[in-house]
Amino acid sequence: MIRHHPDQNMLLEYAAGNLPWAVGLAVSAHLQLCPQCRQQRDNLNRVGGQLLEHGEPQPIADDALQRLFGRIEHGEEQPAPQVQEAAKVDPPVKDPALTNLPKVIGKLVSNSWPLKWKRVSPALKMSRLKTGQDRYEVSFHRIGAGGRTAEHDHRGQEIVLVLHGSFSDADGVYTPGDFLVREPGEVHRPIATQDRECLCLSVLEAPVAVTGVIGWLVNPFLSFRPS
């Protein structure tokens, strides 16, 4: 059962198309797993359609389109990147953590295949996904069964979507489909359950900062590479 969801404001911004691309990606993946949030999204879309239908038309300047093209040409207005249909690859069916992914995540896996896993700590591996944007780092984080990650703080917003297995921290237990938002200054230490490994999609606005006595040693080497 999914217990953690995007809040109403985030769903509203998603329905309006106002979220940063990578954040919208995580919300889209959650919606593919969560009937409750899909219903809320549909309700918001209906309300928005009614407002547009009954709202007063607003005049725009004659040169509005020309000015928009000028902003795009000078790099002031960039269209949101899109997940392209990738060439077919052999699906990683031998990896149980990567089966039955939300379709929008499956496309990213195809675009990034073969995945390159990096050992971050004895319990944690990560693999960056290619998204074509340069603001957020989008990656898989994989915690071994019973594994504990280092306690860490957040320098920017972090969004986590649980895809396989489960983990816990001081605030609760999170299972597939759960959607978490961590804001700068929040500290936690994810711990995977003993019975299976945990795979999460992570959307990071800035690198995390390990707390405790080893933080000053490892933090300068923590990389952050949107791609």
Side-chain angles (χ1 to χ4, degrees):
M1 179 180 178
I2 299 175
R3 296 182 176 85
H4 302 272
H5 311 268
D7 64 24
Q8 192 73 17
N9 288 334
M10 185 172 283
L11 284 177
L12 180 60
E13 291 298 301
Y14 176 84
N18 292 333
L19 288 179
W21 188 91
V23 178
L25 170 77
V27 174
S28 178
H30 173 78
L31 290 174
Q32 292 177 17
L33 299 170
C34 181
Q36 175 182 330
C37 287
R38 285 200 302 273
Q39 182 63 52
Q40 291 188 52
R41 186 272 317 272
D42 292 344
N43 291 340
L44 290 169
N45 284 339
R46 281 193 290 271
V47 171
Q50 292 173 0
L51 290 174
L52 287 174
E53 182 178 353
H54 299 292
E56 290 291 331
Q58 299 296 318
I60 62 172
D62 293 337
D63 63 342
L65 185 60
Q66 182 178 354
R67 287 189 287 109
L68 175 60
F69 285 149
R71 292 176 63 186
I72 293 175
E73 183 179 353
H74 290 88
E76 299 175 22
E77 193 80 31
Q78 294 295 332
Q82 300 294 321
V83 176
Q84 301 296 328
E85 290 286 354
K88 290 183 181 293
V89 298
D90 292 331
V93 294
K94 294 182 180 180
D95 188 338
L98 295 176
T99 58
N100 300 318
L101 294 174
K103 290 182 179 179
V104 67
I105 303 303
K107 290 180 180 179
L108 285 183
V109 172
S110 295
N111 287 344
S112 306
W113 193 257
L115 299 180
K116 298 179 180 179
W117 293 97
K118 176 184 177 182
R119 178 72 63 180
V120 179
S121 71
L124 178 65
K125 295 188 294 185
M126 70 167 295
S127 178
R128 292 184 176 87
L129 299 174
K130 297 176 182 177
T131 62
Q133 53 82 52
D134 59 4
R135 178 175 173 186
Y136 290 85
E137 180 182 88
V138 180
S139 59
F140 284 145
H141 281 84
R142 194 168 192 162
I143 312 172
R148 297 168 176 259
T149 68
E151 183 183 77
H152 57 273
D153 196 350
H154 296 86
R155 297 168 176 168
Q157 188 182 71
E158 178 188 41
I159 294 173
V160 174
L161 176 66
V162 183
L163 297 171
H164 176 82
S166 60
F167 77 89
S168 63
D169 62 16
D171 297 322
V173 178
Y174 313 100
T175 58
D178 279 339
F179 184 100
L180 294 80
V181 179
R182 296 291 182 185
E183 299 293 349
E186 293 189 41
V187 177
H188 73 146
R189 184 181 189 182
I191 303 171
T193 54
Q194 294 288 338
D195 59 333
R196 67 176 62 184
E197 66 176 349
C198 180
L199 177 73
C200 297
L201 178 79
S202 298
V203 177
L204 282 172
E205 189 178 28
V208 299
V210 175
T211 60
V213 294
I214 66 170
W216 68 276
L217 282 174
V218 301
N219 286 332
F221 301 99
L222 295 179
S223 61
F224 176 74
R225 295 201 302 270
S227 62

